[in-house]
Amino acid sequence: MSGDPVVEINAKDVGLEKIASGKVREIFKVDDETLLFVATDRISAYDVVLENVSATDTCQGSNSHLPTHDSSKNYHILNPSKGISGKGALLTQLSAHWFDLIKTNIPSLQLHLISLSLPPNIPPQTQPLLAKRSMQVRRHPILPIESIVRGYITGSAWAEYRVSGTVNGMRMPAGLRESQKLETAIWTPSTKAEAGAHDENISKERAGEILGEEVAGRVERMSLRLYEMARDYAEKRGILIADTKFEFGLDKQTNELVLVDEVLTPDSSRFWSAESYVVGQSQQSYDKQYLRDWLTSTGHKGKEGVRLPEEIARRTAEKYTEAYEKLTGKTWR
Ligand code: ATP
Ligand code: MG
């Protein structure tokens, strides 16, 4: 990944109305049914967007958000923007790869992806900014839950299990160890929090109340099927998908589920190296876990305004690239 990170994309440069700006994506209206879904190079962890900083440059060393272990050092913002160069394009291209595989393996499932090309009339000077990181997608009402599937016990599931022997309130077998593969993958939905709030794990019953039993059942079955397909595909390529998050919309005409958002990227999944997997401990990972571990170990977890040291940004970029290359079998630029 190279070049300056792209973290902001203005409606005026694109020539389309911006209808939403998520933690990572910016969404523009193409027409009533179609959105331009643009992945920026921003990175978020624990629901907070991070900034870059170079350890060699100078700024206020007293900034309380800077790493405690380096508090004697001076920092400055390497690039006045946030983000990891090339990340947005990588997320979009990896999602597109999975959408293709899903189309082949689960042809009955509707996908929101229409095209990777840009809509007509984007100003020529903006086209390079949007190329590779954009998708035209069909606009759908989004179901208000995050549909998480876990094949291994880690993260918030491991934290809950250690305390109560349950995951999302579900009783689990006794004696599980950290990162252990589960007998069968489990569906562990969460709420979809508004900006600034945190998603909360919920029981299946609660998901049923929110979505209606029938829709919740379809979401669960489809999510497990998607996960199992992806898990088997990735395992052959040296990657274990420990867990992942899907989002679904509903087709207003047919009431069928539509797979939306990004799919099976390092932003929405935990990818582990199959080669170095060892049960009973936390794992080497290809995804944001690297960054999450740094945030946790330096006491920055969940804090606003944390700046990402250049080294962490570079290593995170390497991990994302490696994941892309292993999963697609293609070289990333
Ligand atoms: P994070 O992924 O870090 O949790 P986020 O989910 O807040 O962040 P982004 O990923 O930046 O946001 O933006 C994607 C947003 O677009 C999500 O709110 C998602 O629900 C919504 N979305 C995805 N696909 C569609 C679609 N086809 N139609 C309408 N909205 C969509
Ligand atoms: Mg998202």
Side-chain angles (χ1 to χ4, degrees), residues 22-25 27 35 37 44 112 137-140 142 192 245 247 260-262:
K23 286 189 287 294
V24 171
R25 283 175 184 73
I27 302 167
L35 302 174
F37 200 63
S44 75
H112 76 152
V137 303
R138 197 144 349 256
R139 184 177 196 167
H140 293 286
I142 304 296
K192 202 168 149 40
K245 175 198 87 174
E247 287 193 51
V260 301
D261 209 60
E262 62 181 325

Side-chain angles (χ1 to χ4, degrees), residues 5 43 49-71 73-85 291 294-295 298 300 305-315:
I43 186 160
V49 179
L50 294 129
E51 305 184 24
N52 288 9
V53 67
S54 160
T56 54
D57 291 319
T58 53
C59 172
Q60 296 312 307
S62 59
N63 186 326
S64 62
H65 293 310
L66 292 173
T68 43
H69 63 275
D70 277 337
S71 57
K73 269 194 191 147
N74 286 326
Y75 285 80
H76 100 178
I77 299 175
L78 171 67
N79 185 311
S81 58
K82 308 168 179 188
I84 292 181
S85 164
L291 174 62
W294 174 78
L295 288 168
T298 53
H300 293 94
V306 175
R307 295 173 186 164
L308 194 56
E310 194 183 3
E311 174 70 2
I312 303 289
R314 189 180 58 74
R315 287 165 100 160

